[in-house]
Amino acid sequence: MTLAPPFHRPVRPSPVLPVLAVVALLALPVAPGGEGGAGPADALSALVVLFCAVRLLRARRRPLTRAAALILGLPVAGLALAALHAVAPGAGITGLGRYLQVFVLVPAAVVLLVRGRADFRLLAWSVVALAGWQGTVGVHQYVTGTGASYQGQDIRAVGTFGATDVMGMATVVSFGLVCAVGLALGRSAERGRALAACCALALAVPLALSFSRGAWIATAVTVTVQLALAGLRRALKAGAAVLAAGVVLVGGFGVGTAMLQERFDSITQVTDAPDQSVTDRYTMWAAAVDMWRERPLTGVGLKGFPEHRDGHASLALSSGSDIAGAGAAYRRQPLLSPHNMYLLVLGEQGLTGLLCLAGSWLALLVCALRGLWRARAAGGRGLDCALIACGLLVWQLVDFAYADIGGPSTVLTAVCFGLVAWWALVGAERSACGDITAVPAARERVTGEAALR
C-alpha cells in the first residue's frame, strides 16, 4: 500500500506587502525646499490601487458589501459636485484626485488587501517602526540644532519631511504612538505588549519636540479614549506607567525645556494673548466660513480657498509663515489653507461635501465602536485591532480641527483610514466568529479540491 504525500498548499506572499512598501517609502528624505507635492509613496499608492483592481477583476467577485461600499463611497458625491464648481478645470481634477486618494481609493484598497488580524497588526507595527525612525531623526535634529527653525533656533523636530512640512513628523509619530498604545492594551502575547508600551513611551519624546500643539491635543485625547475603552484596570496601570515615565523624562533627563513649557502654555492663551500663528489661523477660519456663507451648498470649488482667501480675509492675516532650517533656506511660505479640515471642506465643498465626508467618518466610528464591544464580549479577541482603529479615527477627527490634508505624510493618513475601515466594515464581523485569514475565493478552491479527492 502506497501512502499518498500530504497535500501542501503553496505559501503565497501576503497581498498587503505593497501597502507596507508605501509606508516604508515615507522613511525617505524629502528634497529640501520642496513644495510638498506628490512623492514616491503617493505614486506607489496609485499602483497599489491598480494592483487591487486587477486582483478583483481576476477573482470575479463582489469585493464589498453594499453597506461598506456606501460608507466608503459616500464622499464621492460631494467631491464630484465641488469639482464641477472649481475655479479652473485643472484645479478641480487635481483636488478630486487627491481627495479620492486619501478618503476613498487607498482606504478601499487596504480593506480589500488585508486578509485578517495578522495583516492588520503587521501594518500597525510598520507604522510604529516608521514613527520610530522619524522620531529618531527628529530627536537628533533637536539635539544637534539641525531641525526646522523655531523662535530663531533650528531645533524643531521635523524628521525627514523638512521645514516645508513641519506637521509631517508629528503626524507620523502620533499615528505610531496610537498604534503602539492599542497593541499594548490588547490581549496578545505579553512580550509584544511590553515592546509596544516601550515604543509608545519612547515616541512621546519626539512628539513633544515637534512643538505641534494640535498633535499634542489630539494624541492626549486619543490615548485617554483608548485607555477608557480598554477597561478601568488597564487604564490605571497605563496611567501609572505614563506618570512615572513623565517624571523620569522631565526630572531626570530635563526634557521639559523653557520653550516646550512656553509652547504648552500657549494652548490656553489662544484667546487672551494669541501669537501671530494663532491670529492667522483664526483669520483663515473666518475666511472659510465667509466663503461658505457665499455659497452654502456647493462652496467655492475644490482648490478654491487660495483664490478666494484675500477677498474674504481681514487685514489681520499676515503674508505667510517663515520657513527655514532642516536644509532649507529662509523664505516665506504663503498660507493657502485654513488649517482646519472641516472648515476647508465647508468653504470649498459647501454643506453637501461636509455632510458626505463627515457622514462617512461618523459611520466608520460607529461601526468601529460596535466592533470593539463585540471584541470585548468575545473574550478580547481582536481587542488590539479595535483599539488601534478607534484610536486612529479619533486622533484624525480631533486633529482635523487644527490641520488639514497636504504634504508627503498625507498618504499615511490614507493608509490609516484603510485600517479603520477594515476593522469597522470587515474585521469586527470576523472577530465575532473567529479570524479568517484566507481569501474567500482561495478557500472555496481548496474546499472544492478536497471534495473531489
Side-chain angles (χ1 to χ4, degrees):
M1 180 178 178
T2 304
L3 295 176
F7 173 74
H8 293 286
R9 186 171 49 180
V11 179
R12 298 180 180 179
S14 172
V16 84
L17 292 180
V19 185
L20 289 176
V22 172
V23 177
L25 282 180
L26 289 172
L28 299 178
V30 177
E35 296 298 327
D42 293 283
L44 184 56
S45 70
L47 295 179
V48 170
V49 173
L50 181 61
F51 167 71
C52 184
V54 171
R55 291 184 76 246
L56 291 178
L57 290 175
R58 292 183 59 186
R60 295 181 180 179
R61 61 186 179 88
R62 190 174 68 182
L64 297 170
T65 63
R66 293 181 180 177
L70 176 62
I71 292 174
L72 287 175
L74 187 59
V76 177
L79 291 172
L81 184 62
L84 294 176
H85 292 83
V87 177
I93 294 174
T94 302
L96 179 63
R98 187 61 157 170
Y99 275 97
L100 289 178
Q101 174 204 16
V102 177
F103 299 118
V104 180
L105 296 178
V106 173
V110 173
V111 170
L112 297 172
L113 294 178
V114 172
R115 300 176 300 178
R117 294 197 301 271
D119 285 349
F120 185 101
R121 295 186 183 105
L122 182 61
L123 276 178
W125 276 112
S126 71
V127 174
V128 175
L130 175 64
W133 163 248
Q134 293 290 350
T136 301
V137 175
V139 172
H140 179 266
Q141 290 170 336
Y142 176 82
V143 173
T144 60
T146 57
S149 177
Y150 178 76
Q151 295 187 359
Q153 301 182 45
D154 295 342
I155 59 171
R156 188 167 191 174
V158 292
T160 64
F161 295 103
T164 57
D165 187 15
V166 293
M167 282 294 297
M169 189 212 75
T171 300
V172 172
V173 170
S174 298
F175 283 152
L177 196 152
V178 170
C179 289
V181 170
L183 291 166
L185 295 175
R187 303 291 175 85
S188 56
E190 184 175 353
R191 182 179 300 180
R193 288 189 282 112
L195 177 60
C198 292
C199 290
L201 294 175
L203 289 174
V205 177
L207 179 61
L209 300 180
S210 69
F211 293 96
S212 174
R213 292 171 293 196
W216 293 351
I217 295 172
T219 304
V221 171
T222 301
V223 172
T224 302
V225 171
Q226 287 180 302
L227 292 175
L229 293 176
L232 180 60
R233 181 179 301 178
R234 289 174 178 267
L236 292 176
K237 290 182 179 179
V242 170
L243 181 62
V247 172
V248 172
L249 289 174
V250 176
F253 296 100
V255 174
T257 65
M259 286 187 176
L260 278 174
Q261 184 64 42
E262 180 183 349
R263 187 70 166 174
F264 181 79
D265 292 340
S266 68
I267 296 176
T268 60
Q269 299 171 354
V270 293
T271 56
D272 297 334
D275 55 31
Q276 186 58 47
S277 65
V278 175
T279 301
D280 288 339
R281 184 164 299 188
Y282 283 167
T283 304
M284 291 188 293
W285 287 6
V289 172
D290 200 37
M291 294 177 196
W292 167 68
R293 288 173 178 169
E294 184 178 296
R295 299 181 184 177
L297 289 181
T298 61
V300 296
L302 292 182
K303 296 287 186 179
F305 184 87
E307 297 293 333
H308 293 81
R309 183 199 63 181
D310 294 339
H312 296 271
S314 68
L315 296 178
L317 182 65
S318 64
S319 59
S321 58
D322 297 333
I323 297 297
Y330 173 82
R331 65 186 178 91
R332 295 282 289 177
Q333 186 178 40
L335 303 173
L336 302 178
S337 73
H339 297 290
N340 182 304
M341 191 65 194
Y342 304 108
L343 293 180
L344 177 63
V345 173
L346 189 65
E348 292 188 344
Q349 303 179 38
L351 192 60
T352 303
L354 182 61
L355 289 178
C356 290
L357 265 176
S360 175
W361 300 337
L362 291 178
L364 288 176
L365 182 60
V366 170
C367 294
L369 288 174
R370 185 178 62 180
L372 185 142
W373 306 136
R374 290 182 178 180
R376 295 187 63 174
R381 185 169 50 225
L383 181 61
D384 51 349
C385 300
L387 292 173
I388 291 171
C390 294
L392 289 174
L393 187 53
V394 169
W395 188 93
Q396 197 63 77
L397 294 179
V398 175
D399 185 70
F400 273 163
Y402 306 93
D404 46 49
I405 60 174
S409 61
T410 301
V411 68
L412 185 62
T413 301
V415 172
C416 290
F417 266 110
L419 288 175
V420 173
W422 181 85
W423 171 257
L425 304 176
V426 180
E429 298 293 336
R430 294 182 179 180
S431 294
C433 56
D435 197 11
I436 302 173
T437 57
V439 178
R443 296 182 73 232
E444 291 175 2
R445 287 196 299 269
V446 173
T447 303
E449 293 173 0
L452 290 175
R453 287 196 300 272

